[in-house]
Amino acid sequence: TLLAASGDGDSIKVFVRVRPLTQGTGLTTDGDQSLCLMVTSPSTIRLLSKPEPRTFTYDHVADMDTSQDAVFNSVAKNIVESCINGYNGTIFAYGQTGSGKTFTMLGPSELDNFTDELRGVIPRSFEYLFFLINQEVERSPKSKRFLCKCSFIEIYNEQIYDLLDTASASLFLRENIKKGVFVEGAVEKFVSSAPEAYQVLSMGWRNRRVASTSMNRESSRSHAVFTMTLESKETINEVVNIRMSQLNLVDLAGSERQKDTHTEGSRLKEASSINRSLMCLGQVIMALVDVSNGKNRHICYRDSKLTFLLRDSLGGNAKTYIIANVHPGSKCFGETLSTLHFAQRAKLIKNKAVINEDTQGNVR
Amino acid sequence: MASLNSDEWRAICDKFTNALRLTDTESRNDPENDPFRSKYNARELLREIYCSLKSFEGGDGEEETGPDSSNQPPPEQPVDGQREDAFTQGFCGDSPEGMRAAKLGAVEYYLGVNHVETEELSAGQEHLMNCMKLLDRCRVSSENVSLGIHVRNQLGILWAGRDETETAQGFLETAESIYQQYMKEDGTPPTDMTEYFSAEESMLTHQERTKKFELAYTHTMYYLAQVYQNLGQTERAATYCHSTLQRQLQLNQFNPMEWALNAATLSQYYITKGRYMEGRHCLAAATVISGLAGDAPSEAAAQESKHLCDRERERREHLRQKRAEIARCWIKYCLNLMQDAKKLLEDNIGELDTDRQDELKRERRRQEEEEEKGRKTTLLFGSEDTFDSITSVEEKVLCLIPLDFTEARAVFLVGQNYVTQAKEYFQMDGYVTDHIEILQDHSALFQGLAFFEEDLERRCKMHKRRVDMLEPICNDLNSQYYLLIRRQLMFELAEIYNEMMDLKLTLANSQTDSQSLDNHTIKKCNHLCAASAKHYQMFLDSMCSPDGKSPEHLEEEVLRPALVARFRVARLHSKLISSLPTVQLDNLNKSLENYKYVVQYCETHPEAAAAAETELELSKEMVGLLPLKINRIKARMAANN
C-alpha cells in the first residue's frame, strides 16, 4: 500500500477525500454544478483560486469515485495492525458540515447492515481488528488472550460528557503514571466482536449534540471520541506479558464551528458582555511569551480538552491519520480552503522531545 | 422647526430602553434555530427611533446626510487619521446642532453594532461610519466624547476581523488620543450614550459616568494590545496588556482570579525578556489579587469539601488549581534567575569564574544606587489598598541575578517553597505531566544551586537529591504514553550521574597524591559511571524500533542528544576502572564501538557534524588512539599466557 511506502518517519499522515456533488440533501451547494477544485494526482489537489490556482500536497488525495474499501485500506488498515502490536493509533475526521465526514467514518446514516459496500472506516476497522485478534488467538490458543473495552465521549464547550451514560454530569480528564491520560468515570463496555462494538458506537452516536445553524442544516457542534482499549496477555513459560494499546476514532465538530481555535487569524477578541471580564487578554499575552530563546516559562492557560486527551496522538509515538473531507462545490470554496490549510498545518505538528541538555563546553 | 412634544419624546425613550433590553438580556435566551430574533426586534425599534428623530427635528433643511440621502458624496477611505481640529472646529458639543448630531449618531452607533452582531458587517460598517460623520461635525466635548471612543472601538474590531489591521489601528489610536486630550483639556465626567434617551430623573451620577467612560477606554487599550500583537510589535503589545491590567485594577473593574492569571502570564513574558523586576512585580500582584478571589482551601479543607455541593466544590477546586498555576510561574521566575546567573558566571569548563563574580559584584553596587530611579519609571500595579501587600510579597525575593552562594540559596529556597505549593495541587496521581514538570524544575533549581557550592562533597549530595526525585519516576512511567518525558528524564539522570562521577574523581584525586585510588572510591566511581552509561543507553534504546534496531536516520530534535549520548557512553566505558585485562578489553571495545558510531554517522549524514562538533572531533581522535591501547592490552594478555 501507499502507507507502507511512505515509511514510519512521520507520525501524522493526512488523507484528503473529495465527496461527490449532491442533490437534494439540503446543502447550500444544491444545484450548483461548478467545481472549485481538481484532483491532479493521488497526492495533489488543485484549488481553483483567483488569480492563480493553488496546488496542495498530502499523503493521499482521494477523488469523488474512491470506494470506502480503498479509504479503509489507505487510512486504517495499517493503524489497526499496529494496535494489535501494542501501538496506539488515532484517526481524525475533519471538515465542513456536509463534506462527508460521517459517510467516511460510519457510512450511510440509515445503515445497520455490516456487509454493505458503503459501510465506513469505523465498521471496517472493527471487523479487521477482530479478524486479527481471532487470527492471533488461533495461532497460539493457549498462551494469548485479548480484552477489548470501548468508551465514547463528547467534548462540547470544553466540557466532557459520556455518550454511553447521558445521565452523568460532565467528567474530568486525569492522568495516571501507568494509564496515561483518561476520562475519569467514563463508562467502559466490554466487547468481544465487531457487531458488539458497532452497537456501542451507534448507541452513543444517537446521543450526540447536534443543532441546526444559521445556514439551516444539521451540524455537529461537539467533538466525539470513540476509544477502544485493547489489552493483550501473553503467557510464555509462566511469564505474563501484558500489552495495552488504544485505537481512537475522532469525529471533530464541523470545521465551521471551530472559529474559536486556530482558524481565527487576526480577529480581535472582544470584551465580554460582563464588564469585568477581559478573559482573552491572557491569550494575547500568551502569544507574546516566547519559547524560542530557550527560557523556561509556564503558561497558565491550558490546552483544549481535546488536544490534552489526544496529545499522545499529536506527534507522540502513536500512529495518526487525519482524514480531511472537502466538498468540491464552488460555493464551498472558503471552507474548503480553510480545511486544506488546516490539513497542511496538521502535517507540521510534532511533539518535540526537548532534552534538557547542558550545551557544549562541558566535555572534560 | 418641528419638535417633539414630551409624550413623543417619552415614547422614543421607552423604545430605546426596550431596544437595549432586547439586545443585552433577551438575546441570550434566543433559540438555537433563530439566534438573532431579539436583535432583529431591537433593530426595528432603533430604526423607528431614527425616523422619528429625523422627521421631527430635521427641520433646518440645509444639509441632509442621513443614510437615505441620495446626493451623498462617494464613500471616502475609512481611515481615521488623527484629527487635530477635533477640539477646535465644528459645532459646539452642547449646541442644539451638536446634541442632535450626537443623538442621531448614537442611534447609528447602536444600529451599526446590531448589524455587526448579526453578521451583516458591511451594513454595520456603514452605520458606524455615519455615526463618525455626524460626530465629525462637532467639537469633541463632554457630550460626545464617550460615543466617539465607542464607535472607534467598534470600527477597530470590525476592520481587524477583515485582516485590515492597520485600518483598525488607525481608529483605535485616534480613540486613544481623543481620550488623552479630553482628559487633559476637560476631564469632567462625560455623558454616556444611553443618557441621550433617558428621562431627566434617570440620569447617571458623576461616578457612574466616569466608570463607563473609563471602561470604554480600557477596552481601547485591550484592543490595541491585540492589534499590536497581530502586527508583531510584541513589546508595544506587552505595554498595552500591562496598561489594561493596571486600569482594571485601579478602576476596580476585574475578576480577581482572571486578573491574577493574566498578570502571572505577563510575568512570563518579562522573564523571557530577562526583565526580572517587572516579572516579579507581576507575580507579586498576581499572588495578592488571587487572594481576593476567596479562601485558599487547604488540602484538608478540600477533603472536607466532599460534603459540599458540586458547584461549590468545583469552584474551590478551580481556585486551588489557579493558585498552583501562579506558584508555577514563580518557580520559573526563580529558575530563570538561577540559570541566568550560571550563564553569566561560568568559565569555559562550566565552573564559577571568580574574577567575573567580583566584577559583577562591583557593577551591582552601582546598579543598586540606580534602582530607585529605575523603579519609578516602571509602570507599577496597585490600587491604594493593594500596593503595600504587593510590595511586601516582592520583598521576599531578589530581582537581581544572584552572584554568590548566599544569594543563590535565597532564590532557591523561595523556588522550592513554590514547588511544594504547586505539588500540593498537581499531584502525581491525576496530573502526571504537570507533576513531573514541577519535579524537573525542582531538579533544575538544585542544579543551579550546586553551581555555587564550593564544597564538592556537598555539591555531590545536591545532585544525589536530584537523582532521588527523578529516578523512581523514570522507572515507573509508562513508556508508551510518556515516551517523550521519559526520554528527558533518562537523559537528565545520565547527566547527573556523569557529573557525580566527575566530582568523585576530582575529590579523590585531590585527596591522594598518587594516582592510586582506594577500593572504596573505585567501586563508587564505577557504580556512578555504570549508572550514567545505563541511562544514556536507555535513552538511545528508546529510539530503537520494536525489534531493537537503532534508527538509520535521527530526527532533528534528537540528533544532538543522541550523538552526545553515544559519545558519553564511549567516554564512560573508557573511564571504568578494572584490574582484569579481559574486562578492560571489553570496556575499551565498547568505547571504541560508540566513538566509531559518532564518526560514521557524521560521515553518512554530513549535516549532523555541525550539531556535535566537539564530540565529533574528540571521537575521531579516539578512534585513532583506542586501537593502539586495545592492542597493547591484547599483547600483554598474550605475553602473560
Side-chain angles (χ1 to χ4, degrees):
Chain A
T1 61
L2 246 149
L3 219 155
S6 57
D8 282 343
D10 302 330
S11 51
I12 296 191
K13 294 202 192 309
V14 177
F15 183 102
V16 174
R17 187 182 200 187
V18 181
R19 70 163 293 163
L21 284 170
T22 41
Q23 274 123 35
T25 51
L27 270 172
T28 48
T29 49
D30 276 2
D32 183 9
Q33 292 298 313
S34 55
L35 299 183
C36 70
L37 54 79
M38 261 164 70
V39 177
T40 42
S41 86
S43 63
T44 52
I45 192 164
R46 183 181 299 155
L47 192 67
L48 307 173
S49 50
K50 304 247 165 65
E52 289 288 303
R54 292 169 63 178
T55 300
F56 293 84
T57 307
Y58 302 98
D59 293 286
H60 192 104
V61 177
D63 211 345
M64 302 182 207
D65 52 3
T66 308
S67 72
Q68 296 280 65
D69 189 48
V71 176
F72 169 78
N73 279 322
S74 320
V75 172
K77 203 164 179 220
N78 190 289
I79 288 182
V80 174
E81 282 162 10
S82 325
C83 276
I84 295 284
N85 295 322
Y87 283 92
N88 295 338
T90 301
I91 301 170
F92 287 98
Y94 181 85
Q96 176 189 8
T97 302
S99 60
K101 272 182 300 168
T102 309
F103 179 78
T104 300
M105 295 301 273
L106 281 180
S109 50
E110 68 280 7
L111 194 71
D112 264 330
N113 175 4
F114 308 123
T115 55
D116 194 299
E117 257 316 293
L118 292 181
R119 68 197 189 282
V121 166
I122 292 177
R124 284 169 200 269
S125 297
F126 292 160
E127 287 153 29
Y128 190 51
L129 185 73
F130 282 100
F131 166 76
L132 291 176
I133 288 175
N134 292 336
Q135 205 177 43
E136 291 272 319
V137 174
E138 263 168 44
R139 227 178 265 160
S140 37
K142 290 214 179 90
S143 65
K144 224 166 188 184
R145 283 173 52 196
F146 285 87
L147 195 64
C148 253
K149 284 179 295 190
C150 304
S151 67
F152 198 10
I153 56 126
E154 85 175 329
I155 302 175
Y156 177 74
N157 276 343
E158 282 298 295
Q159 300 265 45
I160 302 175
Y161 301 95
D162 194 340
L163 288 171
L164 302 181
D165 176 17
T166 47
S168 70
S170 67
L171 302 174
F172 290 98
L173 277 178
R174 277 172 65 87
E175 271 184 287
N176 178 290
I177 196 161
K178 294 286 178 211
K179 291 206 294 189
V181 183
F182 65 99
V183 179
E184 191 181 32
V187 170
E188 290 185 304
K189 298 241 195 239
F190 288 93
V191 293
S192 58
S193 68
E196 270 181 48
Y198 195 71
Q199 209 178 1
V200 174
L201 178 89
S202 16
M203 187 180 102
W205 196 270
R206 283 195 291 272
N207 292 327
R208 288 195 61 186
R209 257 155 252 256
V210 176
S212 34
T213 64
S214 53
M215 292 166 98
N216 197 24
R217 49 185 190 187
E218 292 276 290
S219 163
S220 54
R221 309 190 121 194
S222 65
H223 307 299
V225 184
F226 185 87
T227 304
M228 189 164 229
T229 311
L230 191 64
E231 192 183 310
S232 70
K233 210 183 240 180
E234 193 169 17
T235 323
I236 303 169
N237 305 327
E238 296 187 6
V239 180
V240 184
N241 188 6
I242 295 180
R243 274 208 296 217
M244 298 267 272
S245 59
Q246 268 186 6
L247 177 62
N248 297 305
L249 302 163
V250 186
D251 185 46
L252 295 169
S255 51
E256 73 280 3
R257 287 267 139 220
Q258 290 171 25
K259 299 231 158 25
D260 53 330
T261 51
H262 336 269
T263 52
E264 200 173 358
S266 54
R267 278 177 86 87
L268 297 193
K269 312 271 199 301
E270 290 178 51
S272 158
S273 51
I274 309 156
N275 286 338
R276 294 152 69 86
S277 183
L278 299 179
M279 180 97 86
C280 297
L281 186 67
Q283 261 116 41
V284 179
I285 303 167
M286 201 162 89
L288 303 177
V289 181
D290 199 359
V291 246
S292 58
N293 63 4
K295 294 263 183 168
N296 217 317
R297 86 279 191 267
H298 178 69
I299 300 270
C300 301
Y301 297 85
R302 327 196 88 207
D303 289 343
S304 76
K305 294 266 164 49
L306 183 75
T307 49
F308 192 73
L309 179 64
L310 297 171
R311 126 179 102 163
D312 191 52
S313 308
L314 298 168
N317 53 333
K319 312 230 175 213
T320 301
Y321 234 112
I322 292 179
I323 307 179
N325 292 277
V326 293
H327 196 291
S330 51
K331 283 192 181 159
C332 293
F333 178 84
E335 285 294 342
T336 296
L337 178 64
S338 97
T339 302
L340 292 176
H341 272 308
F342 172 87
Q344 215 157 44
R345 276 199 305 274
K347 286 291 292 176
L348 301 176
I349 300 174
K350 267 188 184 164
N351 211 348
K352 283 193 183 164
V354 181
I355 302 298
N356 304 318
E357 186 213 7
D358 284 341
T359 41
Q360 320 262 332
N362 46 3
V363 180
R364 256 163 275 172
Chain B
M1 175 165 134
S3 76
L4 288 160
N5 65 38
S6 65
D7 281 347
E8 283 163 335
W9 180 245
R10 174 73 70 167
I12 286 180
C13 292
D14 286 349
K15 270 185 193 166
F16 181 81
T17 314
N18 238 333
L20 282 196
R21 187 182 49 79
L22 282 164
T23 309
D24 296 338
T25 329
E26 209 88 326
S27 65
R28 280 185 229 151
N29 305 321
D30 284 344
E32 289 261 7
N33 56 8
D34 193 4
F36 300 138
R37 191 171 64 190
S38 303
K39 294 211 166 136
Y40 292 147
N41 291 340
R43 186 191 293 182
E44 278 318 303
L45 292 175
L46 290 167
R47 279 195 179 137
E48 286 168 32
I49 296 171
Y50 186 87
C51 291
S52 312
L53 286 179
K54 286 295 274 191
S55 60
F56 282 104
E57 285 189 13
D60 6 4
E62 344 153 357
E63 14 110 55
E64 272 303 320
T65 51
D68 308 319
S69 157
S70 52
N71 57 352
Q72 224 174 319
E76 51 201 271
Q77 276 302 94
V79 179
D80 191 29
Q82 306 210 354
R83 295 164 45 248
E84 285 183 13
D85 56 354
F87 287 84
T88 54
Q89 292 180 16
F91 296 122
C92 202
D94 61 354
S95 67
E97 296 87 351
M99 281 314 295
R100 177 165 181 272
K103 281 178 190 167
L104 271 176
V107 182
E108 291 278 17
Y109 168 81
Y110 282 108
L111 277 169
V113 173
N114 182 288
H115 281 86
V116 169
E117 284 176 346
T118 53
E119 294 168 10
E120 293 165 47
L121 297 189
S122 315
Q125 181 198 338
E126 205 182 316
H127 285 294
L128 293 171
M129 288 312 287
N130 287 338
C131 170
M132 286 266 294
K133 271 182 233 150
L134 286 160
L135 290 183
D136 280 354
R137 294 202 245 142
C138 315
R139 284 202 282 278
V140 172
S141 72
S142 78
E143 283 76 25
N144 60 26
V145 64
S146 182
L147 179 59
I149 285 172
H150 272 105
V151 72
R152 286 176 174 88
N153 280 351
Q154 287 299 327
L155 283 162
I157 295 169
L158 182 78
W159 282 101
R162 292 173 169 160
D163 255 336
E164 299 275 343
T165 313
E166 278 89 357
T167 313
Q169 182 189 1
F171 285 114
L172 293 168
E173 284 178 352
T174 308
E176 183 184 20
S177 68
I178 288 177
Y179 170 87
Q180 277 163 356
Q181 202 168 348
Y182 176 79
M183 291 310 277
K184 206 167 79 191
E185 296 188 352
D186 188 328
T188 54
T191 313
D192 189 66
M193 302 102 76
T194 54
E195 292 183 278
Y196 297 151
F197 303 102
S198 295
E200 202 67 47
E201 67 271 15
S202 54
M203 287 294 171
L204 300 175
T205 63
H206 278 209
Q207 210 180 1
E208 287 165 334
R209 282 183 169 185
T210 303
K211 199 170 169 175
K212 290 197 164 200
F213 183 56
E214 295 295 340
L215 185 65
Y217 182 62
T218 304
H219 287 171
T220 309
M221 300 276 98
Y222 171 62
Y223 300 138
L224 275 172
Q226 299 181 58
V227 161
Y228 293 136
Q229 183 228 313
N230 287 339
L231 290 170
Q233 303 181 17
T234 47
E235 196 168 333
R236 231 171 154 187
T239 311
Y240 278 81
C241 285
H242 201 126
S243 319
T244 307
L245 287 172
Q246 167 61 1
R247 290 183 56 80
Q248 284 186 285
L249 199 60
Q250 262 176 351
L251 302 163
N252 197 20
Q253 292 161 334
F254 64 97
N255 164 313
M257 208 31 115
E258 191 185 281
W259 192 95
L261 285 183
N262 287 341
T265 309
L266 187 59
S267 77
Q268 305 298 291
Y269 165 80
Y270 287 125
I271 288 172
T272 58
K273 299 284 174 223
R275 290 161 64 177
Y276 290 105
M277 194 200 292
E278 289 91 336
R280 180 181 69 172
H281 186 64
C282 288
L283 283 167
T287 299
V288 170
I289 301 300
S290 76
L292 305 177
D295 305 332
S298 65
E299 182 58 19
Q303 289 297 321
E304 186 191 309
S305 73
K306 285 211 167 76
H307 306 289
L308 294 167
C309 70
D310 277 356
R311 187 172 292 273
E312 176 60 16
R313 201 164 71 217
E314 218 170 284
R315 193 188 69 86
R316 292 201 181 184
E317 185 75 6
H318 189 74
L319 281 184
R320 262 170 31 92
Q321 185 200 326
K322 299 305 174 199
R323 290 206 171 96
E325 302 259 17
I326 294 170
R328 289 176 71 183
C329 288
W330 272 111
I331 299 172
K332 300 291 187 190
Y333 170 86
C334 295
L335 188 55
N336 280 290
L337 215 47
M338 299 274 265
Q339 286 175 341
D340 274 2
K342 183 164 179 261
K343 261 180 235 152
L344 267 183
L345 289 167
E346 71 187 351
D347 58 16
N348 55 3
I349 56 160
E351 290 292 321
L352 185 68
D353 182 337
T354 48
D355 290 344
R356 184 103 183 91
Q357 187 180 29
D358 291 340
E359 185 192 320
L360 287 168
K361 280 192 168 174
R362 280 194 300 276
E363 204 176 291
R364 160 87 65 85
R365 261 171 249 130
R366 279 201 306 277
Q367 259 181 19
E368 266 168 356
E369 288 156 20
E370 283 166 29
E371 194 198 12
E372 277 303 303
K373 283 184 239 159
R375 257 216 87 120
K376 277 168 195 151
T377 58
T378 328
L379 196 51
L380 294 181
F381 287 132
S383 51
E384 271 167 43
D385 29 338
T386 53
F387 191 82
D388 288 345
S389 352
I390 292 176
T391 309
S392 84
V393 175
E394 277 184 305
E395 278 164 0
K396 289 183 183 146
V397 61
L398 212 61
C399 74
L400 298 170
I401 307 255
L403 294 179
D404 57 30
F405 182 80
T406 318
E407 288 179 353
R409 187 166 170 276
V411 175
F412 170 85
L413 288 175
V414 171
Q416 186 167 250
N417 185 29
Y418 283 114
V419 165
T420 313
Q421 273 187 38
K423 281 202 304 199
E424 218 175 280
Y425 181 81
F426 291 110
Q427 295 180 352
M428 182 66 96
D429 187 30
Y431 300 94
V432 178
T433 313
D434 292 287
H435 187 87
I436 293 177
E437 201 194 313
I438 295 166
L439 289 182
Q440 285 175 313
D441 284 348
H442 195 183
S443 163
L445 280 170
F446 264 117
Q447 188 184 25
L449 184 62
F451 171 76
F452 288 96
E453 176 60 71
E454 282 166 42
D455 182 334
L456 298 191
E457 197 66 60
R458 288 217 301 264
R459 200 194 285 187
C460 216
K461 284 199 175 111
M462 289 180 189
H463 289 304
K464 182 71 174 68
R465 290 282 303 273
R466 298 171 65 199
V467 168
D468 291 344
M469 64 175 96
L470 300 178
E471 197 166 23
I473 292 158
C474 183
N475 295 334
D476 283 351
L477 211 53
N478 181 327
S479 58
Q480 194 174 359
Y481 298 111
Y482 294 106
L483 177 73
L484 303 179
I485 296 177
R486 275 199 78 213
R487 278 188 187 159
Q488 290 177 350
L489 293 177
M490 291 184 290
F491 203 96
E492 184 163 353
L493 282 164
E495 297 234 305
I496 302 172
Y497 277 123
N498 196 28
E499 172 78 28
M500 287 172 75
M501 182 201 63
D502 282 333
L503 285 172
K504 280 280 173 226
L505 274 181
T506 314
L507 262 173
N509 285 333
S510 69
Q511 277 158 6
T512 50
D513 303 330
S514 65
Q515 279 290 15
S516 67
L517 300 171
D518 66 281
N519 254 339
H520 176 74
T521 311
I522 291 175
K523 241 177 115 176
K524 183 89 198 162
C525 285
N526 276 351
H527 165 73
L528 293 170
C529 206
S532 177
K534 182 185 101 183
H535 283 94
Y536 279 125
Q537 195 57 52
M538 278 163 69
F539 172 75
L540 291 166
D541 290 346
S542 79
M543 281 176 278
C544 293
S545 65
D547 49 352
K549 279 201 195 110
S550 45
E552 258 169 51
H553 177 82
L554 294 164
E555 297 278 330
E556 198 195 330
E557 54 266 29
V558 290
L559 177 64
R560 177 168 162 80
L563 291 177
V564 169
R566 285 278 185 176
F567 173 80
R568 296 275 167 77
V569 170
R571 183 173 165 276
L572 287 162
H573 275 104
S574 69
K575 286 234 162 179
L576 281 167
I577 304 163
S578 170
S579 52
L580 290 173
T582 47
V583 179
Q584 284 174 6
L585 200 60
D586 204 33
N587 286 336
L588 288 180
N589 276 323
K590 276 197 185 125
S591 180
L592 180 60
E593 196 184 301
N594 281 289
Y595 281 129
K596 271 186 179 162
Y597 176 92
V598 176
V599 175
Q600 281 164 4
Y601 188 88
C602 292
E603 269 167 18
T604 46
H605 302 80
E607 75 284 357
E613 219 174 321
T614 322
E615 286 80 3
L616 175 61
E617 197 181 306
L618 289 170
S619 297
K620 276 183 185 159
E621 209 173 297
M622 293 311 285
V623 169
L625 290 175
L626 272 183
L628 300 177
K629 207 169 171 186
I630 289 170
N631 286 337
R632 264 209 305 278
I633 295 173
K634 275 187 184 159
R636 215 180 322 138
M637 281 169 76
N640 286 350
N641 278 343

